[in-house]
Amino acid sequence: MQPRTPLALCVLLSQVLLVASADDLDCTPGFQQKVLHIQQPAEFIEDQPVLNLTFSDCKGNEKLHYEVSSPHFKVNSDGTLVALRNITAVGRTLFVHARTPHAEDMAELEIIGGKEIQGSLQDIFKFARTSPVPRQKRSIVVSPILIPENQRQPFPRDVGKVVDSDRPEGSKFRLTGKGVDQEPKGIFRINENTGSVSVTRTLDREMIATYQLFVETTDVSGKTLEGPVPLEVIVIDQNDNRPIFREGPYIGHVMEGSPTGTTVMRMTAFDADDPATDNALLRYNIRQQTPDKPSPNMFYIDPEKGDIVTVVSPALLDRETLENPKYELIIEAQDMAGLDVGLTGTATATIVIDDKNDHSPKFTKKEFQATVEEGAVGVIVNLTVEDKDDPTTGAWRAAYTIINGNPGQSFEIHTNPQTNEGMLSVVKPLDYEISAFHTLLIKVENEDPLVPDVSYGPSSTATVHITVLDVNEGPVFYPDPMMVTKWENVSVGSVLLTVNATDPDSLQHQTIRYSVYKDPAGWLNINPINGTVDTTAVLDRESPFVHNSVYTALFLAIDSGNPPATGTGTLLITLEDVNDNAPFIYPTVAEVCDDAKNLSVVILGASDKDLHPNTDPFKFEIHKQSVPDKVWKISKINNTHALVSLLQNLNKANYNLPIMVTDSGKPPMANITDLRVQVCSCKNSKVDCNAAETLHLSLSLLLLFSLLSLSGL
């Protein structure tokens, strides 16, 4: 078996075969050579040819136009690549795009700074000429395939070739991997006999930038003879994506009076093209500024970073003198490092000139006048101020303070949030007779502090002159309320007291008349001239109009003004108790079984409307028994309760037992009440009281009720 051919020689032979075969084919539009390598010199000299490119559209190259991805180079119409200026170091890949009305293609130019580029045909040629050729372990020789994206028809088109110098006769090439037999399938294929690799459709680098394929040789049965060997397909970027601003809206703020060069905001765009090429190398500029006053160039944008800064003097950034404190900038991002051939994208930047408190508020006049009726409260005058700062900020909002003339705290001032005016109010009624005039000194400040070089001046204070108007005030009772203590049942016509009301209008000589306003029980009368109050009926402490022994009445004092004014006074009469109510017992009905072993009948309680000592202890006794003395018995339990019991069983019937209860008043009062006792038949847990009016309470329940009443005392 012959020794294997070195890698470089195999690639060289394959390239020669490709060129030879191309001469025999019809013209294929595009660059004659897709990938070229440039050895970087010490310096690229301006206008010195670097290399020649050959492009043909197979129709005469009419209107041929070249574009270079770097702004430092250009391609002349004859295909000569030249530098636009002296450059000592570039260090990047260049792409040259050629276009005519009939065809377009792209070539890759790799600038080599002394390092080998693996897989490069140009570099392999150098290696073969200058170095010993190492022996390869594999006979399958592959080189990376570079394909421009967005190629047009015709398809399929050959893009590379795999060489196997020791391939046995009858063996075949097989290509696998993503883009062949894996999704997306069918993009690449290989001629199983010649090893030519072709692409079947247009590629999009932004979708897939590289394809990792594998090449192997197989026998006629499909068995692998050699491989698989990796084959990398690199999609060469074209400038087919515009820059996009994705993070909007873009709103920046800068304080008025900021120094020149103050950074306002940063705007950055995104370009989906290859970031390692000029296709994604962006440059920024301001296309338009609205409004264009006071300068059409208020701002500058760093072309590389996208930082927007101020470029005018601080004096021009005065929010109060600007027509509009908001600017809109149309920002343009252009790829290809800003060359005319680059694609562009735009966005709007809104810049707001923020206010600072560089203007103090000033009263619109030095003195304000106000009038108010005595006794009235509320807003009496609105104080107006002017402030040139932004109405939406604390630099404009006013805060008012009364600094003199308000010792009694009769006045308050608050800010109207809509108008910024100071609303001066009376919060404590004024008295004309005490003072008919008031003078206040008011100062105004902002919520936010002033900037250091601005201060509050004389215009930030104002004087308010207030005139109090005299009104006819109603008479005032003194004291109010008026209080008196009397025994209940005092005789009719008894004098309780003489009320006293005075007229606050001391400068007016007016008379006062009195009348009853509210007397719920109708017990009182008042002398209209001198105010003497006497009784017209007996006072009763136990009346429903009396609460906690106090009776309340209202009186009017009316002056002789025009119209007359009225004052109201309250009289509180405390009524002391008299023993004028007899006690009463409860309950007044009871029942007992005719054969009961427990002869207790009922526990009686007593109550009295009077107060102690005119109530308990109560005395209970049976009054004038009409039955033998030994039938009924009453026993004291405590000061308010007694037990009624039988001394023997009685026949079924109704009995009325007179009970007399006496209180402890001096003199005492007594009351006699009949206790109705029903003696019932109690057989087999059934109670029969039909001999009397129906009352279905068993003796046990009645006793329980009585005990509960007793325990509640």
Side-chain angles (χ1 to χ4, degrees), residues 68-73 90 92-95 237-239 241 271 273-283 334-339 341-343:
V68 185
S69 60
S70 171
H72 308 307
F73 295 90
V90 177
R92 65 177 67 209
T93 301
L94 304 181
F95 294 97
D237 187 42
Q238 282 190 325
N239 192 20
N241 288 278
D271 195 311
D273 289 321
D274 188 352
T277 69
D278 286 353
N279 294 339
L281 184 59
L282 304 183
R283 294 292 181 265
Q334 187 170 27
D335 59 23
M336 298 300 291
L339 293 179
V341 296
L343 302 177

Side-chain angles (χ1 to χ4, degrees), residues 487-488 541-542 546 548-550 574-581 607-618 663-666:
W487 289 99
E488 66 172 329
R541 193 197 64 82
E542 291 74 35
V546 176
N548 297 324
S549 300
V550 177
T574 300
L575 297 176
E576 295 186 340
D577 188 42
V578 173
N579 192 19
D580 57 351
N581 289 277
S607 182
D608 195 318
K609 293 182 180 180
D610 292 318
L611 298 177
H612 190 78
N614 296 322
T615 56
D616 62 86
F618 297 112
D663 63 23
S664 297
K666 294 182 179 180

